[in-house]
Amino acid sequence: MKEQAVDLAIVGCSALMQEESGLGFEDDVTIEVKEGRIAAIGPSCRKAGQEAERWIDGRGLYALPGFINAHTHVAMTLFRGAVEDVAVDSWFNDHVWPMEVNLEARDVWLGAMLGCAEMIESGVTTFVDHYFFADQVAAAVEASGLRANLGWTFLDDQGDTGLGRSIAFSEEWNGGAAGRITTSVAPHAPYTCSDRQLSLAASAAERLGVRVHIHAAEHLEQTEASVRERGMTPVQQLDRAGVLAAGALIAHGCGVVEDDLSLLEASRDRVAFAHCPKVYLKHGLAPLTPIRALLERGVAVGLGTDGAAGCNTLDVAESLRLMALTQKHEERDARWMPLNTALQLAGPGSAAAVGLDGLIGALAPGYRADIVLVDLSGSHCRPLHDPAAAIVYSMRASDVRTTIVDGSVLMEDRKLSTVSTQEILDEVRERLPRLLDTAHGRRMARYPLARTAEPREAG
Ligand SMILES: [Zn+2]
């Protein structure tokens, strides 16, 4: 039988590939895509380009595995920039949770579509989401063409209805959107869900063969409060409830302490962290996720943005830069978090953290064809001594020219093919007064921990 022509060929690009010494760029590479996977990648062959159903001229562009957003709430684009300069407990209790009471299914779909557009434009090809009306987020994933792991958030305040909905969603949507959707059971946090609900979530996740996605140990004061009130850290609480045994993606973990590390090491094949540095900086939370200690114990760490209400952007390249910078600063060591480690974390590291290692996060035969092409010709990148340095420290989201997921081109030369941002924004604008109205005095839950530290004098 005659070998079928490839579906897509990207010809003549420089590609980030695994070499013996680590990740490095190879020049004049052709990437061939067949049935959604990378079929071949290697020295350029013009013939391949001519024989492909579709070909993209990659000359002068840098091919990277698509960025992975390991933790977000994509529909929170609706609240971008609406709450600034307030302490984290007030951010939740006085603003975000009262606004989220107003959410309707259609709002979440619109917000998710906006977020999907932004992620495609900034080279994100996979995101891990935790939110209400997750079926609407799933519909946005189907329509936009992105890849995602989705969980339907539940809180103790919703009783067992919320838990049941989260489990049912995981069961129904795992493998959805032609396999681009995977799911998680999604308790909000150990401080908003009971131990009983955490245990039920863990056993449901095990039964369904998915993991738990949860916020925990968000900052050190939260860990200290947990020890004071429960006699254990949030990580120990998750362990006690069976969540670590079931497998979990834990957002933040900035309050992970020495006592937690051995538990995490023992669960390293199924427990990972999502690190979202911009929100820690913005909310003044400390310290940072202990990335170095976690990596030393073999625990995967992925990069995320968190929701745009706190992070303002869904730009993982920005998270990558902030991670590398804050790691150097936190460790007081300019040698730590070298470029190669930063790129490893953004690629294979994040893929492992979100449970999709071996499928995404690298440009290699057999991997899903989630590829972005970046233009590093801007004056902010030139002269280009080292493309890895340009990607970590100079590139802007707008340098992403083309975004491909599962072999489908979702943006070519900055032109989106699956989302009409203007139409969505027009509809969102009509809904904003209702969404931002908090006069009803209700909220989703209560963020329990007022920060004890006195703020420093302004000025
Ligand atoms: Zn979050």
Side-chain angles (χ1 to χ4, degrees), residues 225-277:
S226 176
V227 170
R228 234 179 8 252
E229 289 157 20
R230 297 167 174 271
M232 65 185 101
T233 67
V235 168
Q236 289 166 337
Q237 190 186 348
L238 293 181
D239 182 53
R240 196 76 65 92
V243 172
L244 300 188
L249 175 60
I250 300 173
H252 313 315
C254 304
V256 163
V257 291
E258 192 66 34
D259 283 354
D260 297 328
L261 291 172
S262 54
L263 276 178
L264 294 167
E265 186 172 12
S267 317
R268 64 179 188 253
D269 60 333
R270 57 194 181 278
V271 171
F273 284 82
H275 173 67
C276 310

Side-chain angles (χ1 to χ4, degrees), residues 71-73 76 91-92 130 188 213-215 218 251-252 276 279 305-307:
H71 175 74
T72 189
H73 317 278
M76 290 185 90
W91 188 85
F92 277 110
H130 196 297
H188 175 263
H213 180 193
I214 188 167
H215 302 89
E218 293 164 332
H252 313 315
C276 310
V279 291
T305 60
D306 218 335

Side-chain angles (χ1 to χ4, degrees), residues 93-94 97-99 101-102 437-445:
N93 289 330
D94 304 328
W97 277 344
M99 291 192 297
V101 167
N102 302 327
D437 180 10
T438 56
H440 50 69
R442 291 176 292 127
R443 59 175 167 241
M444 299 301 291

